[in-house]
Amino acid sequence: MRLVVVGNGMAGSRLVSEVRARDPQMRITVFGAEPCPPYNRVLLSNVLAGSSRPEQVRLLDTSWYAAHDVEAAFGSAVTWIDRDARTVVTEDGRREPYDLLVLATGSDAIVPPIPGVRRAVPFRTLGDCERIMAAAERARRAVVIGGGLLGIEAARGLAGRGLPVTLLHLAGHLMERQLDVEAGEVLGETLAGLGVETRTGVSASSVDADGVRLDDGELVEADLVVLACGVRPVTALAAGAGLEVRRGVVVDDELRTDDPSIFAVGECAEHDGTVYGLVAPAWEQAAVAAEVITGGKALYRGSRLVTRLKAQSVELAAMGETQLTEEHAEVVRFSHRARGTYRKLVIRDDRLVGAILLGESDAVGTLTQLFDRGAPVPGDRAGLLFPGLSAAPVADSPTLMPDAATVCRCNNVTKGQIRECWEAGAGDVAGVAAATRATTGCGTCRDAVAGIVGWLREQEGISV
């Protein structure tokens, strides 16, 4: 069986590792357009801020491919799929036959069609990140266009390097897809305290030599302009092969396209009308596709999205239907803007259907579990927002957390799995990460994993 994977990013590399874990014999070739081994795109903001080095965010290195008998072609873009001959063709003319093909082509950064936009740098790839860092060393002021997740991470990263930063956003408040108006305003106030000036409701008309020109003619001065205007699924390869493409490459519950020998996973895939732009769904899809490819049975039924902002000194989690009002749901809200704190629960039919947690909170684990499982919400609503004030046990305490509780959402790792690998000999967080992949996604579960490991260590000391 010959498996070819097109795309060696977070989805493609996970698919390859999942297949190899299930089948040590299958012949696997993976093509990646980028010239480097796969890396964790979620952690690029840490690289931009200087808190991580590029090599620290790698997912797999070249030695892994050699050790697992996987051929990896770095810097080799596939330009054509010959479905009749079951062959892919690269830009340098290489032809590689396949029995099964997986498209994991990801997304490209959206570049707005405005004059001078070539002076700006998109924030999407490791190469982009390195160009931004090089420019930041000689820049005096930066502008980031786009106030979504990536734009905020880019702005915070540049501010962390000591640059004054202005964040420009077309919508009326930041992260308008995930946050309500007040949460967006509180987030803007938090960023202001970290050195980021936020301008919402503004549109860039051009990128000039001295900065960004707005629609009203105002010039926002900068000698470094970063684009974070969203992403678009890369579907040209699939469309050119005659596969069904809407917003993404259309797939069924087995992640197959309308050609049963071709699968699609990650940001390029559209399942049940949805294109997911987060890492956890991509890795869930990779696991399902790998199971099917290796002869097993598995179905992908969609993902429940939890957005985590990865920016130093900014704690944010948003999930589900955050925009619903009291007309359509029960809404429990707390705001303390002076402390940068905003918490909101959206409850319908006694189930948590949405939540926003901005600012440090020990409620994230419990609320994420309730949201994931669709379990009934306890009657003590205030206790959900402030677990420390409730007389009830805190559900995400390592002592009381059930083994079935999910600790790492990116990799779907439970407390029970962490306990099992500890008992098998993993003696620290690094050992747990190597055995389960916990903490290797967005990284926000690291403290929870460390807490469980510390608790297990204490238990072991007591038993001795």
Side-chain angles (χ1 to χ4, degrees), residues 153-233:
E153 291 177 346
R156 177 64 189 103
L158 289 169
R161 288 180 171 268
L163 271 180
V165 181
T166 301
L167 180 61
L168 306 177
H169 191 46
L170 179 62
H173 66 276
L174 298 175
M175 292 182 64
E176 73 281 0
R177 294 182 180 179
Q178 296 88 9
L179 305 182
D180 61 16
V181 173
E182 186 172 4
E185 292 173 349
V186 175
L187 177 57
E189 292 163 4
T190 299
L191 291 172
L194 299 171
V196 178
E197 177 191 1
T198 299
R199 301 276 302 274
T200 57
V202 297
S203 179
S205 62
S206 65
V207 180
D208 300 345
D210 297 323
V212 177
R213 185 77 60 180
L214 303 182
D215 276 352
D216 63 3
E218 178 187 356
L219 177 68
V220 182
E221 294 185 359
D223 40 16
L224 169 59
V225 179
V226 175
L227 299 177
C229 304
V231 296
R232 182 181 293 114

Side-chain angles (χ1 to χ4, degrees), residues 2-294:
R2 297 169 299 181
L3 172 66
V4 171
V5 180
V6 179
N8 199 18
M10 296 187 74
S13 62
R14 175 56 67 93
L15 183 282
V16 167
S17 64
E18 293 276 3
V19 169
R20 181 53 83 226
R22 291 166 170 80
D23 187 336
Q25 303 300 324
M26 184 175 291
R27 177 179 169 185
I28 303 174
T29 302
V30 56
F31 293 94
E34 293 187 68
C36 58
Y39 54 87
N40 190 331
R41 199 183 305 277
V42 177
L43 300 180
L44 285 183
S45 59
N46 293 351
V47 176
L48 190 59
S51 58
S52 295
R53 299 186 303 276
E55 60 270 20
Q56 291 177 309
V57 301
R58 288 224 179 105
L59 293 169
L60 301 172
D61 57 27
T62 53
S63 63
W64 184 91
Y65 294 95
H68 292 82
D69 194 25
V70 173
E71 181 186 0
F74 303 122
S76 183
V78 172
T79 56
W80 181 251
I81 302 171
D82 185 338
R83 289 171 57 190
D84 293 331
R86 289 197 175 187
T87 300
V88 300
V89 183
T90 67
E91 59 186 353
D92 60 2
R94 173 177 172 178
R95 300 180 66 87
E96 183 68 27
Y98 67 83
D99 295 305
L100 294 175
L101 174 65
V102 178
L103 302 180
T105 48
S107 296
D108 278 340
I110 294 175
V111 177
I114 58 176
V117 74
R118 291 184 178 274
R119 296 189 178 98
V121 184
F123 179 50
R124 177 64 180 163
T125 68
L126 183 58
D128 296 336
C129 192
E130 290 171 341
R131 285 190 288 274
I132 293 169
M133 290 190 295
E137 290 180 358
R138 56 182 182 273
R140 298 183 305 276
R141 185 170 186 87
V143 163
V144 176
I145 302 177
L149 195 65
L150 280 179
I152 292 169
E153 291 177 346
R156 177 64 189 103
L158 289 169
R161 288 180 171 268
L163 271 180
V165 181
T166 301
L167 180 61
L168 306 177
H169 191 46
L170 179 62
H173 66 276
L174 298 175
M175 292 182 64
E176 73 281 0
R177 294 182 180 179
Q178 296 88 9
L179 305 182
D180 61 16
V181 173
E182 186 172 4
E185 292 173 349
V186 175
L187 177 57
E189 292 163 4
T190 299
L191 291 172
L194 299 171
V196 178
E197 177 191 1
T198 299
R199 301 276 302 274
T200 57
V202 297
S203 179
S205 62
S206 65
V207 180
D208 300 345
D210 297 323
V212 177
R213 185 77 60 180
L214 303 182
D215 276 352
D216 63 3
E218 178 187 356
L219 177 68
V220 182
E221 294 185 359
D223 40 16
L224 169 59
V225 179
V226 175
L227 299 177
C229 304
V231 296
R232 182 181 293 114
V234 176
T235 60
L237 186 65
L243 300 174
E244 183 181 2
V245 173
R246 295 174 193 159
R247 184 172 168 228
V249 184
V250 177
V251 295
D252 62 16
D253 288 352
E254 289 188 326
L255 285 312
R256 295 183 195 265
T257 67
D258 49 342
D259 181 332
S261 66
I262 302 178
F263 297 72
V265 297
E267 293 181 337
C268 72
E270 178 178 331
H271 174 267
D272 196 23
T274 300
V275 176
Y276 296 95
L278 297 174
V279 62
W283 285 352
E284 290 170 14
Q285 291 174 3
V288 170
E291 188 67 23
V292 175
I293 286 167
T294 55

Side-chain angles (χ1 to χ4, degrees), residues 5 48 136 152 175 238 269 272 290 295 310 331 339 346 371 385 444:
V5 180
L48 190 59
I152 292 169
M175 292 182 64
D272 196 23
K310 278 295 297 175
V331 178
R339 295 289 301 272
V346 182
F371 176 70
L385 286 181
T444 53

